[in-house]
Amino acid sequence: SLTAQCSPRANNQISHYSGVGLNYALFLDGFPGDAQEVKYDDGFGTLFNLGLDYFLDDRRFLEIDLKKTHFN
């Protein structure tokens, strides 16, 4: 995945961000298990993400990141 993000600093403790990008999925041959009839194709897709960084102190932070990928 290649993502461009925008992250304006809201204040000294919280920073939010959003981004869009491009994703490539490569499916390798393997044991399909119960999904014998499913066909997997390699391909490109779009990626969207939203996130929040909560700074605990000068060296540590908590990050929450949500991503949504869409394949054709």
Side-chain angles (χ1 to χ4, degrees):
S1 296
L2 179 63
T3 307
Q5 291 183 338
C6 177
S7 60
R9 189 77 183 251
N11 60 39
N12 289 337
Q13 196 167 15
I14 297 174
S15 177
H16 63 280
Y17 57 89
S18 61
V20 296
L22 185 64
N23 189 61
Y24 183 76
L26 174 65
F27 296 99
L28 303 175
D29 291 335
F31 181 69
D34 292 333
Q36 299 277 342
E37 301 298 320
V38 176
K39 185 175 189 297
Y40 297 98
D41 292 325
D42 301 343
F44 286 95
T46 54
L47 173 77
F48 303 96
N49 77 318
L50 297 172
L52 177 76
D53 293 331
Y54 180 78
F55 294 89
L56 302 170
D57 56 33
D58 289 339
R59 299 185 321 170
R60 299 179 300 159
F61 65 93
L62 176 67
E63 180 180 63
I64 298 171
D65 186 66
L66 302 171
K67 289 185 172 60
K68 172 67 176 169
T69 304
H70 180 266
F71 292 106
N72 289 333

